[in-house]
Amino acid sequence: MAASPLVMGVVNVTPDSFSDGGRYLDAEQAIAHGRRLLGEGADILDIGGESTRPGATRPLLEEELDRVVPVIEALAADGATVSVDTMRAEVAAAALEAGARVVNDVSGGLADPGILDVVAGSPATTYVAMHWRAHSDRMQEFTTYDGPVAAVVAEELRARVVAIRAAGIADERIVLDPGLGFAKNGAQNWALLARIGEIQEIGFPVLVGASRKRFLGQLLAGPDGALRPVEERELAHAAVLAALARAGVWGVRVHDVRAARDVLTTIERLEAEG
């Protein structure tokens, strides 16, 4: 039986996240939310100060730092394994200084190549490199793939691995993410999920973030075409989690930690009988 995926709980310290925009913008609220997620079974807390929803514009560097550093400091002091969700080298450096142990870079080093040097200089840091083609305000202009989407994503991730290794980051510190929803339409997201093995075949642990994303809302759209609301997509996400767990992915990035933990615990119990 494959090990159950790690559960990465999302803490968005932003005013405009698609899933919970503004709810945890205040540092104390974000810290309290992170502690709740830990209590519900999160293995990692992913702290982000920049929304990457389609169409989002970037915050100033100072804004992103002010949002994430106090939250990381508090949760790391609690003993949590903290990840910083950032594309900026300066934010990654400050987050590591504050106690983060994972850098979750949705650009895979393309937005700011200096982030690779920051991670290379922190030997205990895990680096998550996601498949990415452009910033959020333009990424949906880049959904054309010259071949099956999983094969092309795998090829482009392999190119990022070359750059990551060249920066001095050891293989055992690298995690890959196929980037569901980033420069991908709904059909492409489903094709990637169905062929997640092609990403795993690159040879690194794989993190997947499907939680609450638009393609689930599209799948569950009403007769009038209206997307299923964000907060009503969790049962569909549970089915995705079950498939990912059986595929043996390294981790899942989720908003509802308790629901994710319930799904994974149930799968573990069933497989224990096999």
Side-chain angles (χ1 to χ4, degrees):
M1 181 177 66
S4 187
L6 296 176
V7 174
M8 176 183 278
V10 178
V11 181
N12 290 316
V13 195
T14 62
D16 55 349
S17 167
F18 80 94
S19 62
D20 51 18
R23 190 177 301 175
Y24 309 113
L25 182 58
D26 175 79
E28 290 305 315
Q29 291 176 323
I31 293 164
H33 181 55
R35 288 170 175 159
R36 281 194 297 273
L37 297 185
L38 283 175
E40 292 172 355
D43 298 298
I44 304 168
L45 296 177
D46 194 39
I47 317 300
E50 175 179 352
S51 174
T52 51
R53 64 175 176 78
T57 55
R58 305 196 73 190
L60 297 173
L61 170 62
E62 293 76 13
E63 289 178 313
E64 188 179 353
L65 286 167
D66 288 345
R67 290 172 183 176
V68 302
V69 170
V71 179
I72 291 169
E73 285 178 338
L75 293 171
D78 286 347
T81 299
V82 176
S83 166
V84 61
D85 180 355
T86 187
M87 294 180 272
R88 287 175 163 138
E90 298 94 335
V91 176
L96 294 174
E97 181 69 22
R101 293 164 55 190
V102 179
V103 172
N104 182 16
D105 177 7
V106 300
S107 81
L110 288 171
D112 183 355
I115 201 169
L116 300 180
D117 296 325
V118 169
V119 175
S122 179
T125 302
T126 297
Y127 181 64
V128 181
M130 196 189 78
H131 177 263
W132 184 90
R133 287 181 159 186
H135 284 291
S136 297
D137 58 347
R138 297 185 60 227
M139 66 183 178
Q140 294 312 108
E141 300 172 20
F142 294 87
T143 59
T144 298
Y145 289 79
D146 185 18
V149 64
V152 177
V153 167
E155 178 182 358
E156 293 180 8
L157 281 173
R158 286 188 178 95
R160 298 316 306 148
V161 169
V162 171
I164 293 164
R165 285 170 163 166
I169 301 171
D171 283 7
E172 60 268 21
R173 298 166 59 197
I174 301 170
V175 175
L176 301 179
D177 182 334
L180 297 178
F182 288 77
K184 298 167 190 74
N185 60 34
Q188 290 164 341
N189 290 322
W190 288 113
L192 260 178
L193 281 172
R195 296 164 182 80
I196 197 66
E198 295 186 34
I199 308 303
Q200 293 171 298
E201 287 171 4
I202 301 172
F204 296 90
V206 172
L207 172 71
V208 180
S211 179
R212 298 183 179 176
K213 289 193 172 176
R214 180 180 177 84
F215 73 99
L216 297 176
Q218 291 172 327
L219 176 71
L220 305 172
D224 61 353
L227 300 189
R228 177 73 63 85
V230 167
E231 64 275 9
E232 297 177 17
R233 301 173 187 174
E234 199 56 49
L235 289 176
H237 181 238
V240 171
L241 287 179
L244 291 171
R246 290 186 179 278
V249 300
W250 172 85
V252 288
R253 185 177 183 273
V254 308
H255 297 86
D256 190 332
V257 167
R258 183 178 181 183
R261 184 58 70 194
D262 286 352
V263 170
L264 298 177
T265 298
T266 303
I267 292 169
E268 288 170 0
R269 183 65 183 85
L270 284 169
E271 291 194 345
E273 295 294 323

